[in-house]
Amino acid sequence: MSKTVQMSSAERSLGSLIPGADRSTVGAASLVQGVYGHRGNLELVVRDSVDGLWVFWFNANLPGDPETDPEVPAGHWSVGLRFARDARYTQAAIFQGVRGPNHLEVLALDDAGTLQSWYWSPEWAFRRRAENPASEVAAFSAAQQDDGALLIDLTERDGTLRLVVAGPNEYPSRTWAPVDRSTDLGATLAELLVPEPSIPPDVQLRTVGIYDIQSGTARSSISTRDGGSTELIWRGTDGGMRHLRLPLHSET
């Protein structure tokens, strides 16, 4: 997969600075382990301060692995790709799709209150779906189910709470339908939509001696790298987005 030119970034005691992520991005990012590369690259989406979204990816290959991304060496972050232009966003989330050939799913809320649905395919890069999941939205959380369905918990601008879901049929097209909040979804909403780490990301970072964190920007995600890792990302008070890997067996 080729998205843009790469700039090297060394691991530092305060985490690896993600190249370009301090240039014009704002707020917290969303992170997931994808399927690209031999070991599953990390995929990160974050808002541009003025226009659009950025995606950055970490080449999780080890030195000596067959080359899968000639633009980003193993163990480094890309400098990013901007997409979803002509809108300013207030929130975004990324998922590794389980349908389609290596598709990534992105949900993005623009400042007009429209929740947009995007997907990445190797042939077309990022494409926006014609049907929006919702409008008049103030905030959302979302989860992907095992069959590829996307479930979204919405807070509307008037404070109303509601659920919508898009099933996996006819993928990559998605049709959004309301869901009764009392419906048995096979798991509690808290488990599906608000997956809390055993130790919050900001606490994990302070445990390892990192205090230079913009409030509300620390996030964590589990990956299979090096036998299992907690991937921590945060924005420093200098505006830079940083990344640190902690082994799953770490006491922190």
Side-chain angles (χ1 to χ4, degrees):
M1 177 171 70
S2 176
K3 300 193 191 85
T4 192
V5 181
Q6 181 275 338
M7 180 185 297
S8 66
S9 171
E11 288 290 328
R12 304 174 186 174
S13 60
L14 293 180
S16 174
L17 185 65
I18 299 173
D22 59 343
R23 182 170 59 243
S24 62
T25 66
V26 292
S30 176
L31 181 72
V32 70
Q33 185 177 28
V35 298
Y36 287 97
H38 289 287
R39 301 176 188 273
N41 291 349
L42 306 180
E43 306 281 350
L44 179 154
V45 68
V46 66
R47 299 177 288 128
D48 187 83
S49 60
V50 177
D51 181 20
L53 302 169
W54 288 86
V55 63
F56 297 85
W57 60 101
F58 179 85
N59 186 341
N61 289 353
L62 296 176
D65 284 341
E67 184 59 74
T68 55
D69 190 342
E71 297 178 351
V72 184
H76 292 78
W77 282 96
S78 73
V79 294
L81 169 73
R82 185 156 60 161
F83 70 104
R85 302 270 191 129
D86 301 323
R88 184 177 181 275
Y89 295 89
T90 60
Q91 191 180 347
I94 190 168
F95 306 88
Q96 174 58 62
V98 299
R99 295 283 178 135
N102 301 338
H103 289 178
L104 294 162
E105 294 278 337
V106 171
L107 295 170
L109 178 61
D110 68 28
D111 60 5
T114 300
L115 184 59
Q116 303 177 9
S117 175
W118 292 76
Y119 70 100
W120 164 275
S121 68
E123 296 83 9
W124 298 103
F126 279 105
R127 303 186 76 180
R128 180 179 173 181
R129 293 186 172 93
E131 182 179 354
N132 297 317
S135 59
E136 297 300 318
V137 177
F140 75 93
S141 57
Q144 181 177 218
Q145 297 178 305
D146 290 343
D147 64 357
L150 272 179
L151 179 68
I152 310 174
D153 196 12
L154 301 166
T155 302
E156 297 185 340
R157 288 184 163 183
D158 64 2
T160 301
L161 303 177
R162 65 188 182 96
L163 291 171
V164 296
V165 67
N169 296 336
E170 301 180 1
Y171 191 86
S173 297
R174 286 196 182 275
T175 300
W176 303 93
V179 179
D180 188 331
R181 291 183 66 84
S182 65
T183 300
D184 182 2
L185 299 170
T188 66
L189 288 179
E191 290 171 338
L192 262 177
L193 296 168
V194 194
E196 294 291 343
S198 57
I199 303 175
D202 56 341
V203 174
Q204 290 176 299
L205 288 166
R206 289 183 170 90
T207 301
V208 296
I210 297 173
Y211 298 89
D212 181 30
I213 309 166
Q214 277 191 24
S215 177
T217 65
R219 297 289 187 272
S220 67
S221 182
I222 301 300
S223 80
T224 59
R225 293 203 300 141
D226 301 324
S229 300
T230 300
E231 309 289 347
L232 294 165
I233 54 171
W234 72 99
R235 190 177 298 279
T237 55
D238 61 356
M241 185 67 72
R242 295 182 178 274
H243 164 237
L244 181 68
R245 171 195 168 265
L246 293 178
L248 280 179
H249 56 75
S250 169
E251 294 181 358
T252 61

